[in-house]
Amino acid sequence: MTRPGRTERKTRAPRPKHARTLSTMDKLTVVLMVVVPALIVTGLVWVPAISTVVLSFTDWNGIGNISDMNFIGGQNYVDVTSNYPPFGPAMEHNLIWLVVFFFGPTLLGIFLAVLLDREIRGSRIYQSIFFLPVVLSLALIGFVWQLIYSRDQGLLNAVFGGQTDWFGDPDINLWAVLVAAGWRHTGYIMLLYLAGLKAVDPALREAAAVDGATEVRTFFQVIWPVMRPVNIVVLVITVIESLRAFDIVWVINKGRNGLELISTLVTQNVIGEASRVGFGSALATIMIAISTVFIVIYLIQVMREQR
Amino acid sequence: MSPRTFGAGGVSAINVGRRTLLKGMLGAGALAGLSACGGGDGGGGGGEVTLGSNWSDEVPKKAIADMVKGFSGGGVKVNTIDHNSFQENINNYLQGGPDDVFGWFAGYRMQFFAEQGLIGDISDVWSDIGGGFSDAMKQQSTGADGKQYFVPLYYYPWAIFYRKSLWQEKGYTPPTTMDDLVALSTKMKTDGLNPIAFGDSDGWPAMGTFDYLNLRINGYDFHKELMAGEKPWNSNEVKAVFDAWREILPFHQPDALGRTWQEAAQSLLNKESGMYTIGMFAGQQFPEGPDRDDLDFFTFPEIDPAIGADVVEAPIDGFMMAARPRNEDGAKELLSYLGTAKAEDAYLKSDPNNIGAHDDADKTGYNALQQKGEQLVSGAKSISQFLDRDTRPDFASTVMIPSLQEFIRNPNDVDGLTKSIEDQKKSIFGG
């Protein structure tokens, strides 16, 4: 190890001048490379995030000068938790969403990926079919499922002759929506995991096979540990998708009547004529806080690994 | 989000649904586009006036163009903005560089912006055009400070709609009192019909039923005060409204929360439902020709004889002026023109799904439904707008929509519901 170091120093030694000019360039480059992303991150992430937190302590209605707004302390938070009936259900629904996504579509997607990785006949066709919903926008998916779930004109009730109000009954609609959203999430996870599986060194499998391991054992004891980075990505994506779940619910009924989610409550309050900016910001801040918990867990995990 | 979204004619349910949905998604994205619209035409020539139009559907868009053609006072540049995006971004629009003149709604929703100083006083325009409008129209164009801020274009009444042929066949007659309505509904049920069509998936259609019950039980003044946040929601008056609603709720189509208003209208079209409390735009769901001609309506029946049934809910659309227009003289001249019968005739010729707000608007071209609507409204003692137009928009959308849906889901806890509404109202209206 010492040798290459020395030779390097030797070759560089005779040109201190050159090195200095380079370092000015280097400095400039480094400064640019640090400052530009820092500005972008500050401008697009930190400033809005901190403004949201600050606004959540005001009664600003989005109209007029910022100087017109009044600081009202934690009143918005008190209102959110004690005087806003949709808030409790929204928290609950986000949690259900996360749990269902994890145990349903995510595991199913991984399972499908493992199956498709076995080069069965027509693998490409299956891949396309499962991946199709990912390509469609969620707004379109919402519309497609509306055709299926509509009480009076929907496919499901027409075929089974039922009267179930899939989207209107608050005890059912969340689950109906989860099927629709999960349909899409499955394809997403499948593709992600399939890409990971393709990258696994085939020699590992062969070695396992030679040692006489069964398929199941090979997967859990050889492939799964190798796939750890992909597993973490899949987990993180599942958490993120569950927290930011929004569009499909918004398309169906703007996140009301059994489909309340934190994200839709924020939108209802901030966007549009309503403009309860302060109140909506308080909701958004709560969402940031929850996300932060997951981000911190993720970061600790990643850092521990690097060490 | 609101009935006026469907101001265009002849669009099928699915089309409207999908387009509204997709456009809703674009709302946030359009924000940037909107401010660009407002700011981009700053250097317009001296005589040019800009008109921000939210009549973005095909039929009304053409009607606006036809109407503007008749203006002789200089060039008018029409900037058409998607209806829903315009509505969702109205705050940014008004604070950015709004067009000199732009389309909006009458009532509290106009007064709200007048109070914030975001729209211009056009009382002098009204001294020109005022003679052509009824007092009710003027009242709806006037801000809380007594000045005028709005030029009405058209309105569309809410009523109970039905199919003439079905009613003739079964021998039904329009009820005039609540008891008649209940008797009729009971009869329809025994005839195997669903008496009252109902769909509240979007949240706003139920507001029409609430408004009418409130107007018939407590009257127009109470409605105004309640909407303005001056009367408590947990009062006996409001509870009486919900109690009356609970009485007739079993006659409404079940599972209303999963059904769009378009689907409900189609159950009327298919003769599965007997009647439907909705705005005149319901006609859009009826194919032109014999089906649409078969549509008729009667006014919401009387409940308290002392209150009567002479208040009509008829949302009005029209124009306002920016607080600081780039071309104020031109803008006022344009508004004076827009407030004439001639301008309204030009509009209604291309969009016959509404009724002209001007007294002298040409009624000879009206179809039977329009004529009946015109008579209904001109005979009205007062015109109310609509729950989400008569109160603060944040209260309407974040409190009333979930609360009314909660009531439809569980009509038995009126005390808890009205208390919750009142608590939330206090926090929004500032106690």
Side-chain angles (χ1 to χ4, degrees):
Chain A
M1 283 304 272
T2 44
R3 226 178 218 178
R6 244 176 230 167
T7 46
E8 203 171 18
R9 202 173 290 159
K10 223 175 187 180
T11 51
R12 276 194 181 174
R15 40 173 191 176
K17 246 186 185 175
H18 191 81
R20 205 168 292 148
T21 51
L22 240 185
S23 80
T24 337
M25 270 289 286
D26 283 351
K27 266 182 201 159
L28 197 70
T29 316
V30 167
V31 165
L32 278 178
M33 282 173 71
V34 169
V35 167
V36 172
L39 279 179
I40 292 175
V41 169
T42 313
L44 296 181
V45 177
W46 288 104
V47 169
I50 291 169
S51 321
T52 305
V53 176
V54 172
L55 281 173
S56 74
F57 293 102
T58 72
D59 63 353
W60 198 44
N61 64 356
I63 294 176
N65 289 325
I66 298 202
S67 57
D68 292 344
M69 69 191 184
N70 306 308
F71 281 88
I72 52 169
Q75 187 58 43
N76 285 327
Y77 291 91
V78 174
D79 281 347
V80 164
T81 46
S82 65
N83 194 12
Y84 192 50
F87 178 68
M91 291 288 278
E92 193 189 321
H93 296 158
N94 268 101
L95 194 69
I96 292 176
W97 198 287
L98 176 63
V99 172
V100 171
F101 254 37
F102 181 76
F103 288 104
T106 302
L107 294 185
L108 183 64
I110 291 177
F111 180 62
L112 288 175
V114 172
L115 288 187
L116 289 175
D117 189 40
R118 295 168 48 104
E119 302 293 339
I120 45 176
R121 191 183 299 168
S123 167
R124 289 281 163 91
I125 295 173
Y126 289 124
Q127 275 180 45
S128 315
I129 290 174
F130 290 128
F131 193 63
L132 188 68
V134 186
V135 183
L136 303 177
S137 80
L138 263 182
L140 192 61
I141 290 191
F143 180 67
V144 168
W145 284 90
Q146 211 141 25
L147 296 179
I148 294 174
Y149 280 137
S150 163
R151 180 187 182 277
D152 303 341
Q153 301 161 3
L155 180 75
L156 211 55
N157 281 350
V159 170
F160 293 103
Q163 289 271 299
T164 314
D165 187 11
W166 295 103
F167 276 164
D169 185 336
D171 297 329
I172 302 176
N173 56 8
L174 182 68
W175 305 99
V177 168
L178 278 170
V179 169
W183 175 58
R184 182 173 191 266
H185 189 67
T186 306
Y188 191 15
I189 297 298
M190 179 209 73
L191 194 83
L192 214 64
Y193 213 75
L194 193 58
L197 285 175
K198 295 273 185 224
V200 171
D201 189 350
L204 283 174
R205 268 178 232 259
E206 281 160 29
V210 168
D211 287 348
T214 60
E215 290 264 1
V216 174
R217 197 155 169 210
T218 311
F219 179 73
F220 281 109
Q221 301 208 324
V222 178
I223 309 293
W224 184 261
V226 175
M227 292 284 285
R228 192 182 155 87
V230 179
N231 292 340
I232 290 182
V233 169
V234 165
L235 190 66
V236 169
I237 282 181
T238 303
V239 171
I240 291 174
E241 289 280 315
S242 310
L243 283 177
R244 61 171 207 157
F246 171 75
D247 11 22
I248 194 164
V249 163
W250 190 256
V251 165
I252 290 163
N253 68 358
K254 308 239 174 206
R256 296 175 176 125
N257 180 39
L259 293 183
E260 294 87 353
L261 294 173
I262 306 284
S263 56
T264 62
L265 297 187
V266 173
T267 312
Q268 278 170 22
N269 280 286
V270 174
I271 307 271
E273 273 180 270
S275 274
R276 287 171 91 185
V277 175
F279 188 78
S281 299
L283 285 161
T285 305
I286 292 172
M287 207 167 144
I288 292 176
I290 298 172
S291 317
T292 311
V293 172
F294 286 101
I295 293 167
V296 167
I297 293 174
Y298 169 65
L299 285 180
I300 289 175
Q301 194 67 29
V302 169
M303 283 174 177
R304 201 179 279 163
E305 213 160 275
Q306 279 171 350
R307 228 177 275 164
Chain B
M1 270 186 89
S2 225
R4 71 251 150 209
T5 306
F6 308 103
V11 195
S12 79
I14 282 172
N15 253 331
V16 170
R18 180 175 49 205
R19 267 201 291 165
T20 322
L21 304 174
L22 293 177
K23 280 169 182 170
M25 304 304 310
L26 291 174
L31 203 143
L34 262 182
S35 35
C37 272
D41 43 71
E48 190 172 71
V49 188
T50 57
L51 172 65
S53 163
N54 57 347
W55 286 274
S56 55
D57 283 318
E58 211 171 303
V59 174
K61 189 174 171 182
K62 180 174 177 298
I64 289 285
D66 290 349
M67 183 171 65
V68 165
K69 251 181 240 157
F71 177 56
S72 51
V76 179
K77 186 169 169 243
V78 179
N79 297 320
T80 304
I81 303 150
D82 168 65
H83 195 103
N84 282 350
S85 308
F86 185 80
Q87 209 165 305
E88 288 183 351
N89 294 302
I90 183 75
N91 289 333
N92 298 64
Y93 175 76
L94 292 179
Q95 293 180 85
D99 297 299
D100 298 338
V101 176
F102 54 90
W104 196 240
F105 318 115
Y108 195 95
R109 269 184 130 156
M110 166 274 293
Q111 295 178 348
F112 180 72
F113 291 121
E115 247 164 69
Q116 312 281 343
L118 292 174
I119 53 175
D121 171 15
I122 51 167
S123 302
D124 45 348
V125 172
W126 264 84
S127 58
D128 280 352
I129 62 171
F133 291 100
S134 65
D135 283 346
M137 285 294 164
K138 182 163 186 178
Q139 191 190 335
Q140 291 296 341
S141 307
T142 305
D145 56 2
K147 295 172 182 163
Q148 280 76 43
Y149 292 93
F150 182 82
V151 174
L153 172 61
Y154 60 72
Y155 57 83
Y156 50 90
W158 277 62
I160 303 185
F161 287 78
Y162 64 95
R163 288 196 71 141
K164 280 182 280 196
S165 60
L166 179 72
W167 282 41
Q168 251 158 24
E169 181 194 320
K170 305 267 184 190
Y172 303 146
T173 48
T176 51
T177 66
M178 201 50 151
D179 294 339
D180 290 352
L181 183 74
V182 170
L184 176 66
S185 301
T186 315
K187 189 158 184 298
M188 283 181 176
K189 257 196 159 162
T190 56
D191 289 347
L193 280 172
N194 161 64
I196 306 174
F198 197 32
D200 195 38
S201 168
D202 304 301
W204 55 262
M207 290 174 172
T209 306
F210 176 87
D211 277 351
Y212 262 129
L213 287 168
N214 188 27
L215 289 166
R216 296 295 182 255
I217 293 173
N218 299 311
Y220 178 72
D221 292 335
F222 182 84
H223 166 83
K224 288 288 276 186
E225 286 163 5
L226 183 69
M227 294 300 136
E230 290 157 10
K231 288 269 161 112
W233 278 80
N234 51 354
S235 61
N236 288 331
E237 284 95 334
V238 178
K239 283 177 191 170
V241 173
F242 282 113
D243 289 341
W245 197 352
R246 189 174 49 232
E247 298 286 303
I248 56 168
L249 202 56
F251 300 119
H252 285 71
Q253 231 171 338
D255 298 339
L257 298 180
R259 188 181 297 111
T260 62
W261 74 263
Q262 290 98 334
E263 288 173 314
Q266 278 160 20
S267 80
L268 187 70
L269 172 69
N270 299 332
K271 303 189 178 179
E272 292 157 10
S273 295
M275 50 192 157
Y276 188 16
T277 309
I278 192 77
M280 222 170 87
F281 52 84
Q284 293 166 20
Q285 293 297 314
F286 284 62
E288 231 167 312
D291 279 326
R292 195 175 292 178
D293 293 342
D294 196 28
L295 193 63
D296 200 354
F297 67 82
F298 58 90
T299 187
F300 200 90
E302 172 183 295
I303 295 175
D304 179 351
I307 302 279
D310 50 8
V311 182
V312 176
E313 183 133 278
I316 306 165
D317 291 359
F319 302 94
M320 303 201 297
M321 186 180 78
R324 279 174 297 280
R326 276 171 290 261
N327 180 357
E328 186 166 346
D329 294 341
K332 286 187 170 170
E333 212 176 312
L334 176 63
L335 284 167
S336 302
Y337 163 73
L338 295 174
T340 61
K342 185 183 153 216
E344 280 188 13
D345 290 344
Y347 180 90
L348 292 168
K349 208 171 160 219
S350 299
D351 179 12
N353 297 300
N354 296 292
I355 300 166
H358 199 278
D359 284 347
D360 303 329
D362 182 16
K363 295 168 187 76
T364 52
Y366 281 5
N367 59 36
L369 211 58
Q370 276 176 304
Q371 277 173 13
K372 207 172 164 186
E374 199 271 331
Q375 283 159 12
L376 178 70
V377 172
S378 57
K381 199 170 70 187
S382 307
I383 302 172
S384 62
Q385 291 300 293
F386 195 70
L387 199 152
D388 69 359
R389 295 184 178 208
D390 277 337
T391 190
R392 288 179 59 120
D394 45 2
F395 178 67
S397 65
T398 66
V399 178
M400 284 318 292
I401 287 183
S403 300
L404 292 182
Q405 291 190 331
E406 174 66 34
F407 171 77
I408 293 163
R409 196 157 57 212
N410 171 22
N412 295 317
D413 183 22
V414 169
D415 286 344
L417 181 72
T418 49
K419 183 182 175 299
S420 160
I421 297 175
E422 176 63 15
D423 288 348
Q424 293 180 73
K425 182 209 90 181
K426 277 187 188 142
S427 95
I428 287 184
F429 282 78

